[in-house]
Amino acid sequence: MNHDIRLVIADDHEIFRDGLALMLSRQPDITLVGQANNGRELLELLETVEADVVMTDLKMPLMDGITATRTLLQRLPHIRIIALSMFDEEELIVEMLEAGAKGYLLKNADKQEIIEAINSVYEDNIFYCKQTSAKLASMIVRSRFNPSRDNAPVTFTDREKEIIRLICQQFTAQEIGEKIFLSKRTVEGHRTRILEKMNVKNTAGVVVFALKNNLISEAELL
């Protein structure tokens, strides 16, 4: 990284925005370069400051986060966008991803996940909130959003496919090891390689990738 990640936050709830800004101000390698109250302010702000990552609420007055994202990426396609969402906004999250967002977080995400999301999208990775529901994962799979469309095909061993299915079914490394007679450490090694191959950061990413690439069926997640 040649410089700190330059971050902009857009949210019409000032208390939430200020709390997020305060938390991130204490992080090394992240510099908050501006805040906006709505999508229109966000677009105006980014005409005057340079940013690497934008975190934006989905619902805002004057211009929502989805419209702002589409417009912003037409003007500045290099910017990485993270959607900030409430738990009941699955359809809007899918729209946001289709508009070009690199990831999304629920507003109750913890500090570590927020930092991980910022770093992930800055590195041009997709970030799925770890609280992604099975319903939302299914909606993403059926959507036009396909981050791996232009990537080289990924192959997995039979053992990795077996572990992928068990990860998707929410089994822990310990439980997977007991089921397939491997040590927890060996399973964790497989999991690390699986995440690297998929270019994802957590179980939610594994689920979406596996569904999108027919490594598991929705019926197996029930």
Side-chain angles (χ1 to χ4, degrees):
M1 190 183 303
N2 297 323
H3 60 76
D4 287 359
I5 299 173
R6 297 167 297 195
L7 177 72
V8 167
I9 300 170
D11 195 293
D12 61 312
H13 294 95
E14 186 176 1
I15 293 175
F16 172 80
R17 194 175 70 231
D18 287 350
L20 184 58
L22 179 62
M23 184 272 287
L24 292 172
S25 71
R26 301 174 179 146
Q27 302 308 310
D29 303 325
I30 297 174
T31 298
L32 183 64
V33 295
Q35 298 184 46
N37 190 55
N38 56 63
R40 191 175 298 171
E41 279 188 16
L42 174 62
L43 295 178
E44 291 172 354
L45 174 63
L46 288 168
E47 290 179 355
T48 62
V49 302
E50 291 189 19
D52 303 301
V53 176
V54 169
M55 301 180 73
T56 178
D57 192 9
L58 291 173
K59 293 181 178 178
M60 296 182 290
L62 299 182
M63 183 184 288
D64 62 53
I66 298 167
T67 303
T69 292
R70 290 194 185 104
T71 305
L72 177 58
L73 291 176
Q74 287 176 352
R75 298 179 185 175
L76 301 167
H78 67 279
I79 286 183
R80 312 305 182 198
I81 298 176
I82 299 170
L84 296 169
S85 170
M86 303 296 285
F87 69 92
D88 59 348
E89 295 175 341
E90 284 100 340
E91 290 185 7
L92 295 180
I93 291 171
V94 172
E95 275 194 69
M96 191 70 164
L97 291 171
E98 290 182 335
K102 283 284 184 180
Y104 61 91
L105 287 166
L106 292 185
K107 286 194 171 184
N108 63 355
D110 59 41
K111 170 184 169 183
Q112 195 55 47
E113 187 172 23
I114 292 169
I115 294 167
E116 185 178 14
I118 292 169
N119 282 292
S120 293
V121 301
Y122 177 74
E123 294 167 357
D124 206 24
N125 297 320
I126 300 296
F127 188 89
Y128 302 95
C129 179
K130 67 183 179 184
Q131 297 183 59
T132 299
S133 66
K135 175 186 174 185
L136 176 54
S138 296
M139 290 172 68
I140 293 171
V141 169
R142 293 191 184 99
S143 75
R144 297 188 305 273
F145 177 70
N146 187 4
S148 59
R149 179 181 56 243
D150 299 324
N151 296 345
V154 179
T155 58
F156 298 95
T157 66
D158 289 343
R159 177 64 87 189
E160 286 172 339
K161 290 177 183 177
E162 184 177 23
I163 292 173
I164 288 167
R165 284 192 291 274
L166 293 169
I167 290 173
C168 291
Q169 292 167 344
Q170 306 297 316
F171 290 105
T172 66
Q174 181 68 43
E175 291 168 338
I176 292 171
E178 291 170 359
K179 282 180 173 293
I180 60 177
F181 308 106
L182 293 176
S183 70
K184 177 183 176 183
R185 184 173 179 179
T186 300
V187 172
E188 288 172 343
H190 280 296
R191 185 180 187 277
T192 297
R193 285 190 292 277
I194 287 166
L195 265 64
E196 288 173 351
K197 284 185 177 184
M198 292 182 174
N199 201 22
V200 299
K201 295 293 183 180
N202 55 26
T203 298
V206 174
V207 172
V208 173
F209 185 101
L211 285 170
K212 201 86 169 175
N213 292 275
N214 300 311
L215 296 171
I216 192 170
S217 67
E218 288 187 46
E220 292 178 89
L221 297 179
L222 303 178

